[in-house]
Amino acid sequence: QSALTQPPSASGSPGQSVTVSCTGTSSDVGGYNYVSWYQQHPGKVPKLMIYEVTKRPSGVPDRFSGSKSGNTASLTVSGLQAEDEADYYCVSFAGSNTMVFGGGTKLTVL
Amino acid sequence: QVQLQESGPGLVKPSETLSLTCTVSGGSVSSGSFYWSWIRQPPGRGLEWIGCIYYSGSTNYNPSLKSRVTISIDTSKNQFSLKVSSVTAADTAVYYCAGPYRSRFEYWGQGTLVTVSS
């Protein structure tokens, strides 16, 4: 069970859109529609932003969206705002009731 | 609203066993279909899933930690617990408890820093 692959960093200007990728295998991301995304500000607890690839919990702005193609899931943040600057982690179900995280992506709002 | 709170020693000696407890309020650990998880984050690094326990008591662990980890549940106290044996400095991390679903972590505790040092 290897960690999912995320780019270490991503950036965009206010108002722009940014997409963060999360690449796994057919044994995790590609095999199940159970990918979720978490936002973590420095020193804070991670917050669920997207679950089951595309679903948004109540209270999460619709600027955040998720998708998946093959073994790669993606988180898109549209209309970037300063408060979106944070670390983002993907996690996928990996079979046998196990989960695997991505290494995290630091999103910078320029 | 479900709330989780971790508790346990903040300092553990190398080769000893790390023990943490997560107390759940606003919900029951024994509710059907709920999974309760432990996740850790070494300082300055990413999140790592440690394992989970089903309300019935069945467990699943990260293969890389499986030989050293035990998760248990105490429905009478509405708590679940984590033990990591033979700890080294590499086990120094903020430990989070989370739940209540298998495939997503909707509720998180505040996290507790455990340092492994003599």
Side-chain angles (χ1 to χ4, degrees):
Chain A
Q1 187 187 64
S2 299
L4 307 178
T5 300
Q6 296 183 237
S9 63
S11 62
S13 300
Q16 288 186 333
S17 293
V18 171
T19 296
V20 177
S21 62
C22 170
T23 301
T25 69
S26 58
S27 297
D28 38 63
V29 175
Y32 308 93
N33 287 323
Y34 289 122
V35 175
S36 52
W37 290 88
Y38 299 82
Q39 177 192 65
Q40 186 180 35
H41 288 108
K44 301 298 186 182
V45 176
K47 175 186 176 183
L48 177 66
M49 304 301 283
I50 296 287
Y51 68 98
E52 292 176 10
V53 179
T54 61
K55 299 178 181 178
R56 259 190 326 275
S58 174
V60 173
D62 60 6
R63 302 184 294 103
F64 291 85
S65 62
S67 63
K68 190 183 84 167
S69 178
N71 296 336
T72 298
S74 299
L75 171 73
T76 297
V77 186
S78 305
L80 265 179
Q81 299 182 5
E83 65 252 36
D84 299 333
E85 184 162 297
D87 293 327
Y88 289 85
Y89 295 91
C90 62
V91 62
S92 174
F93 183 75
S96 301
N97 284 338
T98 63
M99 304 290 284
V100 60
F101 275 95
T105 297
K106 182 177 180 59
L107 176 59
T108 300
V109 180
L110 302 171
Chain B
Q1 178 78 350
V2 175
Q3 294 185 318
L4 293 82
Q5 180 66 58
E6 305 88 352
S7 59
L11 181 64
V12 181
K13 290 181 169 56
S15 80
E16 295 190 345
T17 296
L18 176 162
S19 296
L20 296 174
T21 295
C22 182
T23 300
V24 179
S25 58
S28 172
V29 295
S30 57
S31 294
S33 301
F34 281 176
Y35 287 80
W36 304 98
S37 295
W38 287 97
I39 296 160
R40 70 181 183 179
Q41 185 171 35
R45 298 181 62 185
L47 299 165
E48 180 180 35
W49 182 79
I50 299 171
C52 68
I53 188 163
Y54 192 43
Y55 79 102
S56 64
S58 65
T59 54
N60 297 94
Y61 301 122
N62 185 324
S64 68
L65 299 169
K66 186 174 183 177
S67 64
R68 299 193 294 125
V69 170
T70 302
I71 297 175
S72 58
I73 195 166
D74 186 337
T75 56
S76 67
K77 295 182 179 179
N78 219 33
Q79 297 174 334
F80 60 105
S81 298
L82 170 71
K83 292 186 186 299
V84 182
S85 64
S86 304
V87 296
T88 69
D91 294 307
T92 293
V94 174
Y95 285 77
Y96 295 100
C97 56
Y101 303 111
R102 182 185 67 170
S103 61
R104 68 183 188 268
F105 311 116
E106 194 158 322
Y107 305 113
W108 295 67
Q110 286 301 303
T112 185
L113 175 63
V114 178
T115 301
V116 177
S117 175
S118 56

mmCIF file of all heavy atoms in Angstrom, chain B residues 24-74:
data_model
loop_
_atom_site.group_PDB
_atom_site.id
_atom_site.type_symbol
_atom_site.label_atom_id
_atom_site.label_comp_id
_atom_site.label_asym_id
_atom_site.label_seq_id
_atom_site.Cartn_x
_atom_site.Cartn_y
_atom_site.Cartn_z
ATOM 1 N N VAL B 24 -15.822 10.008 22.624
ATOM 2 C CA VAL B 24 -16.812 10.514 21.683
ATOM 3 C C VAL B 24 -18.007 11.077 22.444
ATOM 4 O O VAL B 24 -18.527 10.435 23.361
ATOM 5 C CB VAL B 24 -17.281 9.389 20.734
ATOM 6 C CG1 VAL B 24 -18.340 9.911 19.762
ATOM 7 C CG2 VAL B 24 -16.090 8.820 19.968
ATOM 8 N N SER B 25 -18.433 12.259 22.068
ATOM 9 C CA SER B 25 -19.638 12.859 22.655
ATOM 10 C C SER B 25 -20.567 13.313 21.537
ATOM 11 O O SER B 25 -20.124 13.555 20.406
ATOM 12 C CB SER B 25 -19.271 14.046 23.548
ATOM 13 O OG SER B 25 -18.565 15.027 22.811
ATOM 14 N N GLY B 26 -21.853 13.380 21.854
ATOM 15 C CA GLY B 26 -22.823 13.775 20.837
ATOM 16 C C GLY B 26 -23.200 12.655 19.897
ATOM 17 O O GLY B 26 -23.889 12.894 18.897
ATOM 18 N N GLY B 27 -22.743 11.463 20.190
ATOM 19 C CA GLY B 27 -23.044 10.303 19.373
ATOM 20 C C GLY B 27 -22.543 9.060 20.070
ATOM 21 O O GLY B 27 -21.816 9.155 21.071
ATOM 22 N N SER B 28 -22.880 7.898 19.546
ATOM 23 C CA SER B 28 -22.496 6.640 20.180
ATOM 24 C C SER B 28 -21.516 5.867 19.309
ATOM 25 O O SER B 28 -21.737 5.708 18.107
ATOM 26 C CB SER B 28 -23.748 5.780 20.423
ATOM 27 O OG SER B 28 -23.381 4.491 20.865
ATOM 28 N N VAL B 29 -20.434 5.381 19.925
ATOM 29 C CA VAL B 29 -19.459 4.589 19.175
ATOM 30 C C VAL B 29 -20.068 3.266 18.713
ATOM 31 O O VAL B 29 -19.547 2.634 17.800
ATOM 32 C CB VAL B 29 -18.176 4.306 19.980
ATOM 33 C CG1 VAL B 29 -17.434 5.588 20.271
ATOM 34 C CG2 VAL B 29 -18.481 3.532 21.243
ATOM 35 N N SER B 30 -21.152 2.869 19.351
ATOM 36 C CA SER B 30 -21.743 1.579 19.015
ATOM 37 C C SER B 30 -22.890 1.704 18.023
ATOM 38 O O SER B 30 -23.599 0.722 17.779
ATOM 39 C CB SER B 30 -22.232 0.875 20.290
ATOM 40 O OG SER B 30 -23.148 1.693 20.986
ATOM 41 N N SER B 31 -23.052 2.884 17.449
ATOM 42 C CA SER B 31 -24.074 3.041 16.408
ATOM 43 C C SER B 31 -23.698 2.201 15.190
ATOM 44 O O SER B 31 -22.522 2.124 14.818
ATOM 45 C CB SER B 31 -24.198 4.515 15.997
ATOM 46 O OG SER B 31 -24.694 5.288 17.044
ATOM 47 N N GLY B 32 -24.683 1.601 14.607
ATOM 48 C CA GLY B 32 -24.448 0.725 13.469
ATOM 49 C C GLY B 32 -23.780 1.418 12.299
ATOM 50 O O GLY B 32 -24.002 2.579 12.037
ATOM 51 N N SER B 33 -22.906 0.712 11.627
ATOM 52 C CA SER B 33 -22.235 1.147 10.403
ATOM 53 C C SER B 33 -21.191 2.228 10.622
ATOM 54 O O SER B 33 -20.732 2.834 9.659
ATOM 55 C CB SER B 33 -23.245 1.640 9.365
ATOM 56 O OG SER B 33 -24.163 0.632 9.050
ATOM 57 N N PHE B 34 -20.833 2.488 11.868
ATOM 58 C CA PHE B 34 -19.822 3.512 12.124
ATOM 59 C C PHE B 34 -18.428 2.897 12.263
ATOM 60 O O PHE B 34 -18.250 1.863 12.881
ATOM 61 C CB PHE B 34 -20.156 4.305 13.389
ATOM 62 C CG PHE B 34 -21.210 5.367 13.179
ATOM 63 C CD1 PHE B 34 -21.667 6.107 14.264
ATOM 64 C CD2 PHE B 34 -21.724 5.636 11.933
ATOM 65 C CE1 PHE B 34 -22.634 7.101 14.091
ATOM 66 C CE2 PHE B 34 -22.688 6.620 11.741
ATOM 67 C CZ PHE B 34 -23.143 7.350 12.831
ATOM 68 N N TYR B 35 -17.454 3.574 11.656
ATOM 69 C CA TYR B 35 -16.054 3.195 11.769
ATOM 70 C C TYR B 35 -15.314 4.329 12.461
ATOM 71 O O TYR B 35 -15.522 5.506 12.145
ATOM 72 C CB TYR B 35 -15.424 2.985 10.395
ATOM 73 C CG TYR B 35 -15.857 1.734 9.675
ATOM 74 C CD1 TYR B 35 -17.069 1.678 8.996
ATOM 75 C CD2 TYR B 35 -15.041 0.599 9.667
ATOM 76 C CE1 TYR B 35 -17.466 0.543 8.335
ATOM 77 C CE2 TYR B 35 -15.431 -0.561 8.997
ATOM 78 C CZ TYR B 35 -16.638 -0.573 8.329
ATOM 79 O OH TYR B 35 -17.026 -1.705 7.672
ATOM 80 N N TRP B 36 -14.425 3.993 13.359
ATOM 81 C CA TRP B 36 -13.670 4.991 14.108
ATOM 82 C C TRP B 36 -12.195 4.790 13.824
ATOM 83 O O TRP B 36 -11.680 3.696 13.946
ATOM 84 C CB TRP B 36 -13.979 4.880 15.604
ATOM 85 C CG TRP B 36 -15.444 5.006 15.868
ATOM 86 C CD1 TRP B 36 -16.347 3.989 16.058
ATOM 87 C CD2 TRP B 36 -16.194 6.224 15.909
ATOM 88 N NE1 TRP B 36 -17.607 4.515 16.232
ATOM 89 C CE2 TRP B 36 -17.541 5.879 16.149
ATOM 90 C CE3 TRP B 36 -15.866 7.578 15.785
ATOM 91 C CZ2 TRP B 36 -18.557 6.833 16.258
ATOM 92 C CZ3 TRP B 36 -16.872 8.523 15.890
ATOM 93 C CH2 TRP B 36 -18.200 8.153 16.129
ATOM 94 N N SER B 37 -11.539 5.887 13.436
ATOM 95 C CA SER B 37 -10.176 5.788 12.916
ATOM 96 C C SER B 37 -9.152 6.557 13.736
ATOM 97 O O SER B 37 -9.495 7.490 14.466
ATOM 98 C CB SER B 37 -10.133 6.319 11.470
ATOM 99 O OG SER B 37 -10.901 5.523 10.605
ATOM 100 N N TRP B 38 -7.906 6.157 13.572
ATOM 101 C CA TRP B 38 -6.756 6.904 14.079
ATOM 102 C C TRP B 38 -5.889 7.317 12.897
ATOM 103 O O TRP B 38 -5.638 6.517 11.991
ATOM 104 C CB TRP B 38 -5.939 6.073 15.064
ATOM 105 C CG TRP B 38 -6.604 5.888 16.384
ATOM 106 C CD1 TRP B 38 -7.344 4.825 16.803
ATOM 107 C CD2 TRP B 38 -6.596 6.816 17.478
ATOM 108 N NE1 TRP B 38 -7.805 5.039 18.090
ATOM 109 C CE2 TRP B 38 -7.354 6.250 18.524
ATOM 110 C CE3 TRP B 38 -6.015 8.079 17.692
ATOM 111 C CZ2 TRP B 38 -7.543 6.897 19.757
ATOM 112 C CZ3 TRP B 38 -6.205 8.720 18.899
ATOM 113 C CH2 TRP B 38 -6.964 8.128 19.923
ATOM 114 N N ILE B 39 -5.440 8.545 12.913
ATOM 115 C CA ILE B 39 -4.615 9.148 11.863
ATOM 116 C C ILE B 39 -3.505 9.916 12.561
ATOM 117 O O ILE B 39 -3.728 10.493 13.626
ATOM 118 C CB ILE B 39 -5.480 10.101 11.010
ATOM 119 C CG1 ILE B 39 -6.572 9.313 10.269
ATOM 120 C CG2 ILE B 39 -4.627 10.887 10.019
ATOM 121 C CD1 ILE B 39 -7.733 10.160 9.801
ATOM 122 N N ARG B 40 -2.308 9.924 11.978
ATOM 123 C CA ARG B 40 -1.227 10.674 12.610
ATOM 124 C C ARG B 40 -0.532 11.576 11.601
ATOM 125 O O ARG B 40 -0.624 11.355 10.387
ATOM 126 C CB ARG B 40 -0.233 9.750 13.293
ATOM 127 C CG ARG B 40 0.613 8.913 12.355
ATOM 128 C CD ARG B 40 1.550 8.025 13.175
ATOM 129 N NE ARG B 40 2.451 7.249 12.314
ATOM 130 C CZ ARG B 40 3.374 6.408 12.783
ATOM 131 N NH1 ARG B 40 3.518 6.223 14.091
ATOM 132 N NH2 ARG B 40 4.144 5.753 11.942
ATOM 133 N N GLN B 41 0.183 12.561 12.119
ATOM 134 C CA GLN B 41 0.887 13.526 11.270
ATOM 135 C C GLN B 41 2.196 13.914 11.949
ATOM 136 O O GLN B 41 2.201 14.705 12.895
ATOM 137 C CB GLN B 41 0.022 14.753 11.029
ATOM 138 C CG GLN B 41 0.620 15.765 10.066
ATOM 139 C CD GLN B 41 -0.358 16.861 9.691
ATOM 140 O OE1 GLN B 41 -1.173 17.293 10.498
ATOM 141 N NE2 GLN B 41 -0.283 17.320 8.445
ATOM 142 N N PRO B 42 3.325 13.376 11.479
ATOM 143 C CA PRO B 42 4.621 13.797 12.026
ATOM 144 C C PRO B 42 4.816 15.290 11.801
ATOM 145 O O PRO B 42 4.278 15.859 10.849
ATOM 146 C CB PRO B 42 5.624 12.976 11.212
ATOM 147 C CG PRO B 42 4.836 11.801 10.708
ATOM 148 C CD PRO B 42 3.459 12.338 10.451
ATOM 149 N N PRO B 43 5.574 15.941 12.655
ATOM 150 C CA PRO B 43 5.781 17.381 12.530
ATOM 151 C C PRO B 43 6.264 17.776 11.142
ATOM 152 O O PRO B 43 7.246 17.225 10.634
ATOM 153 C CB PRO B 43 6.853 17.666 13.591
ATOM 154 C CG PRO B 43 6.657 16.601 14.611
ATOM 155 C CD PRO B 43 6.257 15.378 13.835
ATOM 156 N N GLY B 44 5.564 18.694 10.502
ATOM 157 C CA GLY B 44 5.950 19.200 9.189
ATOM 158 C C GLY B 44 5.717 18.244 8.041
ATOM 159 O O GLY B 44 6.163 18.503 6.923
ATOM 160 N N ARG B 45 5.010 17.155 8.298
ATOM 161 C CA ARG B 45 4.808 16.153 7.251
ATOM 162 C C ARG B 45 3.328 15.884 7.021
ATOM 163 O O ARG B 45 2.455 16.558 7.580
ATOM 164 C CB ARG B 45 5.551 14.879 7.621
ATOM 165 C CG ARG B 45 7.064 15.099 7.729
ATOM 166 C CD ARG B 45 7.807 13.841 8.060
ATOM 167 N NE ARG B 45 7.640 12.821 6.997
ATOM 168 C CZ ARG B 45 8.117 11.597 7.080
ATOM 169 N NH1 ARG B 45 8.770 11.204 8.164
ATOM 170 N NH2 ARG B 45 7.953 10.731 6.090
ATOM 171 N N GLY B 46 3.028 14.910 6.183
ATOM 172 C CA GLY B 46 1.657 14.626 5.786
ATOM 173 C C GLY B 46 0.926 13.685 6.730
ATOM 174 O O GLY B 46 1.466 13.199 7.716
ATOM 175 N N LEU B 47 -0.331 13.445 6.380
ATOM 176 C CA LEU B 47 -1.203 12.590 7.176
ATOM 177 C C LEU B 47 -0.994 11.115 6.839
ATOM 178 O O LEU B 47 -0.739 10.765 5.684
ATOM 179 C CB LEU B 47 -2.660 12.968 6.916
ATOM 180 C CG LEU B 47 -3.059 14.407 7.291
ATOM 181 C CD1 LEU B 47 -4.392 14.779 6.651
ATOM 182 C CD2 LEU B 47 -3.144 14.552 8.796
ATOM 183 N N GLU B 48 -1.117 10.274 7.846
ATOM 184 C CA GLU B 48 -0.977 8.829 7.656
ATOM 185 C C GLU B 48 -2.131 8.129 8.372
ATOM 186 O O GLU B 48 -2.340 8.340 9.578
ATOM 187 C CB GLU B 48 0.354 8.324 8.190
ATOM 188 C CG GLU B 48 0.556 6.826 8.019
ATOM 189 C CD GLU B 48 1.895 6.338 8.551
ATOM 190 O OE1 GLU B 48 2.375 6.884 9.562
ATOM 191 O OE2 GLU B 48 2.460 5.401 7.956
ATOM 192 N N TRP B 49 -2.851 7.304 7.651
ATOM 193 C CA TRP B 49 -3.922 6.511 8.254
ATOM 194 C C TRP B 49 -3.304 5.351 9.034
ATOM 195 O O TRP B 49 -2.481 4.593 8.497
ATOM 196 C CB TRP B 49 -4.839 5.995 7.161
ATOM 197 C CG TRP B 49 -6.018 5.207 7.627
ATOM 198 C CD1 TRP B 49 -7.185 5.688 8.145
ATOM 199 C CD2 TRP B 49 -6.166 3.786 7.597
ATOM 200 N NE1 TRP B 49 -8.040 4.659 8.443
ATOM 201 C CE2 TRP B 49 -7.448 3.485 8.117
ATOM 202 C CE3 TRP B 49 -5.343 2.736 7.176
ATOM 203 C CZ2 TRP B 49 -7.927 2.171 8.227
ATOM 204 C CZ3 TRP B 49 -5.810 1.428 7.282
ATOM 205 C CH2 TRP B 49 -7.097 1.158 7.810
ATOM 206 N N ILE B 50 -3.703 5.213 10.293
ATOM 207 C CA ILE B 50 -3.156 4.155 11.142
ATOM 208 C C ILE B 50 -4.051 2.926 11.124
ATOM 209 O O ILE B 50 -3.575 1.788 11.010
ATOM 210 C CB ILE B 50 -3.002 4.660 12.588
ATOM 211 C CG1 ILE B 50 -2.031 5.842 12.651
ATOM 212 C CG2 ILE B 50 -2.532 3.523 13.502
ATOM 213 C CD1 ILE B 50 -1.992 6.536 14.007
ATOM 214 N N GLY B 51 -5.346 3.149 11.257
ATOM 215 C CA GLY B 51 -6.272 2.026 11.284
ATOM 216 C C GLY B 51 -7.639 2.456 11.758
ATOM 217 O O GLY B 51 -7.864 3.623 12.087
ATOM 218 N N CYS B 52 -8.562 1.484 11.769
ATOM 219 C CA CYS B 52 -9.922 1.803 12.191
ATOM 220 C C CYS B 52 -10.544 0.609 12.906
ATOM 221 O O CYS B 52 -10.054 -0.514 12.813
ATOM 222 C CB CYS B 52 -10.789 2.214 11.011
ATOM 223 S SG CYS B 52 -11.142 0.894 9.834
ATOM 224 N N ILE B 53 -11.624 0.908 13.630
ATOM 225 C CA ILE B 53 -12.376 -0.131 14.313
ATOM 226 C C ILE B 53 -13.858 0.074 14.014
ATOM 227 O O ILE B 53 -14.351 1.200 14.021
ATOM 228 C CB ILE B 53 -12.086 -0.132 15.829
ATOM 229 C CG1 ILE B 53 -12.723 -1.350 16.505
ATOM 230 C CG2 ILE B 53 -12.511 1.179 16.503
ATOM 231 C CD1 ILE B 53 -12.170 -1.656 17.883
ATOM 232 N N TYR B 54 -14.528 -1.020 13.713
ATOM 233 C CA TYR B 54 -15.956 -1.000 13.465
ATOM 234 C C TYR B 54 -16.666 -1.054 14.815
ATOM 235 O O TYR B 54 -16.082 -1.517 15.805
ATOM 236 C CB TYR B 54 -16.324 -2.195 12.599
ATOM 237 C CG TYR B 54 -17.693 -2.199 11.999
ATOM 238 C CD1 TYR B 54 -18.255 -1.049 11.432
ATOM 239 C CD2 TYR B 54 -18.448 -3.370 11.957
ATOM 240 C CE1 TYR B 54 -19.521 -1.072 10.860
ATOM 241 C CE2 TYR B 54 -19.707 -3.405 11.386
ATOM 242 C CZ TYR B 54 -20.239 -2.257 10.840
ATOM 243 O OH TYR B 54 -21.484 -2.282 10.264
ATOM 244 N N TYR B 55 -17.902 -0.608 14.854
ATOM 245 C CA TYR B 55 -18.625 -0.578 16.119
ATOM 246 C C TYR B 55 -18.703 -1.975 16.751
ATOM 247 O O TYR B 55 -18.795 -2.110 17.967
ATOM 248 C CB TYR B 55 -20.031 -0.002 15.911
ATOM 249 C CG TYR B 55 -21.022 -0.977 15.325
ATOM 250 C CD1 TYR B 55 -21.963 -1.597 16.135
ATOM 251 C CD2 TYR B 55 -21.020 -1.284 13.964
ATOM 252 C CE1 TYR B 55 -22.879 -2.497 15.608
ATOM 253 C CE2 TYR B 55 -21.920 -2.171 13.440
ATOM 254 C CZ TYR B 55 -22.853 -2.777 14.251
ATOM 255 O OH TYR B 55 -23.745 -3.676 13.726
ATOM 256 N N SER B 56 -18.630 -2.999 15.924
ATOM 257 C CA SER B 56 -18.709 -4.367 16.426
ATOM 258 C C SER B 56 -17.397 -4.831 17.065
ATOM 259 O O SER B 56 -17.352 -5.856 17.744
ATOM 260 C CB SER B 56 -19.041 -5.322 15.276
ATOM 261 O OG SER B 56 -17.990 -5.314 14.321
ATOM 262 N N GLY B 57 -16.320 -4.079 16.811
ATOM 263 C CA GLY B 57 -15.021 -4.439 17.374
ATOM 264 C C GLY B 57 -14.028 -4.964 16.342
ATOM 265 O O GLY B 57 -12.851 -5.147 16.666
ATOM 266 N N SER B 58 -14.459 -5.197 15.118
ATOM 267 C CA SER B 58 -13.512 -5.665 14.102
ATOM 268 C C SER B 58 -12.595 -4.510 13.695
ATOM 269 O O SER B 58 -13.005 -3.351 13.684
ATOM 270 C CB SER B 58 -14.249 -6.221 12.888
ATOM 271 O OG SER B 58 -14.964 -5.201 12.232
ATOM 272 N N THR B 59 -11.346 -4.861 13.396
ATOM 273 C CA THR B 59 -10.337 -3.835 13.139
ATOM 274 C C THR B 59 -9.659 -4.024 11.782
ATOM 275 O O THR B 59 -9.624 -5.125 11.228
ATOM 276 C CB THR B 59 -9.254 -3.865 14.230
ATOM 277 O OG1 THR B 59 -8.732 -5.205 14.318
ATOM 278 C CG2 THR B 59 -9.808 -3.443 15.575
ATOM 279 N N ASN B 60 -9.112 -2.926 11.281
ATOM 280 C CA ASN B 60 -8.303 -2.938 10.069
ATOM 281 C C ASN B 60 -7.158 -1.957 10.270
ATOM 282 O O ASN B 60 -7.357 -0.879 10.834
ATOM 283 C CB ASN B 60 -9.137 -2.525 8.850
ATOM 284 C CG ASN B 60 -10.261 -3.476 8.572
ATOM 285 O OD1 ASN B 60 -11.388 -3.275 9.008
ATOM 286 N ND2 ASN B 60 -9.978 -4.550 7.866
ATOM 287 N N TYR B 61 -5.961 -2.362 9.813
ATOM 288 C CA TYR B 61 -4.769 -1.567 10.079
ATOM 289 C C TYR B 61 -3.990 -1.262 8.805
ATOM 290 O O TYR B 61 -4.031 -2.017 7.824
ATOM 291 C CB TYR B 61 -3.855 -2.304 11.062
ATOM 292 C CG TYR B 61 -4.485 -2.621 12.398
ATOM 293 C CD1 TYR B 61 -4.577 -3.930 12.849
ATOM 294 C CD2 TYR B 61 -4.993 -1.613 13.207
ATOM 295 C CE1 TYR B 61 -5.145 -4.239 14.085
ATOM 296 C CE2 TYR B 61 -5.576 -1.901 14.439
ATOM 297 C CZ TYR B 61 -5.649 -3.207 14.861
ATOM 298 O OH TYR B 61 -6.219 -3.491 16.077
ATOM 299 N N ASN B 62 -3.233 -0.168 8.866
ATOM 300 C CA ASN B 62 -2.271 0.141 7.817
ATOM 301 C C ASN B 62 -1.248 -1.002 7.799
ATOM 302 O O ASN B 62 -0.642 -1.314 8.826
ATOM 303 C CB ASN B 62 -1.602 1.479 8.134
ATOM 304 C CG ASN B 62 -0.657 1.944 7.039
ATOM 305 O OD1 ASN B 62 0.024 1.154 6.408
ATOM 306 N ND2 ASN B 62 -0.612 3.250 6.835
ATOM 307 N N PRO B 63 -1.042 -1.613 6.644
ATOM 308 C CA PRO B 63 -0.107 -2.756 6.583
ATOM 309 C C PRO B 63 1.290 -2.414 7.118
ATOM 310 O O PRO B 63 1.953 -3.274 7.691
ATOM 311 C CB PRO B 63 -0.070 -3.097 5.090
ATOM 312 C CG PRO B 63 -1.386 -2.636 4.568
ATOM 313 C CD PRO B 63 -1.712 -1.399 5.354
ATOM 314 N N SER B 64 1.705 -1.165 6.946
ATOM 315 C CA SER B 64 3.058 -0.795 7.382
ATOM 316 C C SER B 64 3.180 -0.690 8.900
ATOM 317 O O SER B 64 4.286 -0.652 9.436
ATOM 318 C CB SER B 64 3.457 0.543 6.748
ATOM 319 O OG SER B 64 2.671 1.594 7.277
ATOM 320 N N LEU B 65 2.062 -0.633 9.605
ATOM 321 C CA LEU B 65 2.075 -0.487 11.067
ATOM 322 C C LEU B 65 1.419 -1.673 11.776
ATOM 323 O O LEU B 65 1.468 -1.751 13.008
ATOM 324 C CB LEU B 65 1.336 0.790 11.472
ATOM 325 C CG LEU B 65 1.914 2.114 10.953
ATOM 326 C CD1 LEU B 65 0.929 3.250 11.215
ATOM 327 C CD2 LEU B 65 3.248 2.401 11.631
ATOM 328 N N LYS B 66 0.852 -2.554 11.003
ATOM 329 C CA LYS B 66 -0.016 -3.596 11.546
ATOM 330 C C LYS B 66 0.602 -4.397 12.682
ATOM 331 O O LYS B 66 -0.074 -4.743 13.657
ATOM 332 C CB LYS B 66 -0.453 -4.537 10.420
ATOM 333 C CG LYS B 66 -1.465 -5.580 10.821
ATOM 334 C CD LYS B 66 -1.946 -6.365 9.609
ATOM 335 C CE LYS B 66 -3.028 -7.360 10.004
ATOM 336 N NZ LYS B 66 -3.571 -8.082 8.816
ATOM 337 N N SER B 67 1.897 -4.679 12.582
ATOM 338 C CA SER B 67 2.542 -5.537 13.585
ATOM 339 C C SER B 67 2.674 -4.850 14.941
ATOM 340 O O SER B 67 2.896 -5.505 15.955
ATOM 341 C CB SER B 67 3.922 -5.968 13.094
ATOM 342 O OG SER B 67 4.763 -4.844 12.955
ATOM 343 N N ARG B 68 2.514 -3.518 14.980
ATOM 344 C CA ARG B 68 2.742 -2.792 16.238
ATOM 345 C C ARG B 68 1.489 -2.090 16.772
ATOM 346 O O ARG B 68 1.537 -1.492 17.837
ATOM 347 C CB ARG B 68 3.840 -1.737 16.044
ATOM 348 C CG ARG B 68 5.193 -2.290 15.644
ATOM 349 C CD ARG B 68 6.280 -1.233 15.790
ATOM 350 N NE ARG B 68 6.097 -0.127 14.855
ATOM 351 C CZ ARG B 68 6.024 1.149 15.224
ATOM 352 N NH1 ARG B 68 6.101 1.492 16.491
ATOM 353 N NH2 ARG B 68 5.874 2.099 14.309
ATOM 354 N N VAL B 69 0.399 -2.151 16.038
ATOM 355 C CA VAL B 69 -0.781 -1.346 16.379
ATOM 356 C C VAL B 69 -1.940 -2.217 16.850
ATOM 357 O O VAL B 69 -2.204 -3.283 16.290
ATOM 358 C CB VAL B 69 -1.222 -0.509 15.155
ATOM 359 C CG1 VAL B 69 -2.576 0.143 15.408
ATOM 360 C CG2 VAL B 69 -0.186 0.555 14.832
ATOM 361 N N THR B 70 -2.625 -1.732 17.875
ATOM 362 C CA THR B 70 -3.866 -2.349 18.338
ATOM 363 C C THR B 70 -4.882 -1.243 18.590
ATOM 364 O O THR B 70 -4.585 -0.265 19.284
ATOM 365 C CB THR B 70 -3.669 -3.137 19.634
ATOM 366 O OG1 THR B 70 -2.676 -4.140 19.439
ATOM 367 C CG2 THR B 70 -4.979 -3.801 20.064
ATOM 368 N N ILE B 71 -6.061 -1.389 18.005
ATOM 369 C CA ILE B 71 -7.168 -0.453 18.254
ATOM 370 C C ILE B 71 -8.283 -1.242 18.921
ATOM 371 O O ILE B 71 -8.611 -2.351 18.492
ATOM 372 C CB ILE B 71 -7.655 0.202 16.952
ATOM 373 C CG1 ILE B 71 -6.537 1.046 16.325
ATOM 374 C CG2 ILE B 71 -8.881 1.080 17.219
ATOM 375 C CD1 ILE B 71 -6.887 1.648 14.967
ATOM 376 N N SER B 72 -8.843 -0.665 19.963
ATOM 377 C CA SER B 72 -9.927 -1.324 20.694
ATOM 378 C C SER B 72 -11.051 -0.329 20.949
ATOM 379 O O SER B 72 -10.880 0.883 20.787
ATOM 380 C CB SER B 72 -9.405 -1.888 22.011
ATOM 381 O OG SER B 72 -8.841 -0.853 22.802
ATOM 382 N N ILE B 73 -12.198 -0.859 21.364
ATOM 383 C CA ILE B 73 -13.364 -0.008 21.600
ATOM 384 C C ILE B 73 -13.993 -0.372 22.930
ATOM 385 O O ILE B 73 -13.996 -1.543 23.328
ATOM 386 C CB ILE B 73 -14.375 -0.144 20.432
ATOM 387 C CG1 ILE B 73 -15.411 0.976 20.433
ATOM 388 C CG2 ILE B 73 -15.040 -1.518 20.423
ATOM 389 C CD1 ILE B 73 -16.191 1.071 19.115
ATOM 390 N N ASP B 74 -14.457 0.629 23.661
ATOM 391 C CA ASP B 74 -15.140 0.434 24.945
ATOM 392 C C ASP B 74 -16.488 1.138 24.847
ATOM 393 O O ASP B 74 -16.574 2.356 25.057
ATOM 394 C CB ASP B 74 -14.296 1.005 26.082
ATOM 395 C CG ASP B 74 -14.893 0.694 27.451
ATOM 396 O OD1 ASP B 74 -16.121 0.446 27.544
ATOM 397 O OD2 ASP B 74 -14.134 0.703 28.438
#
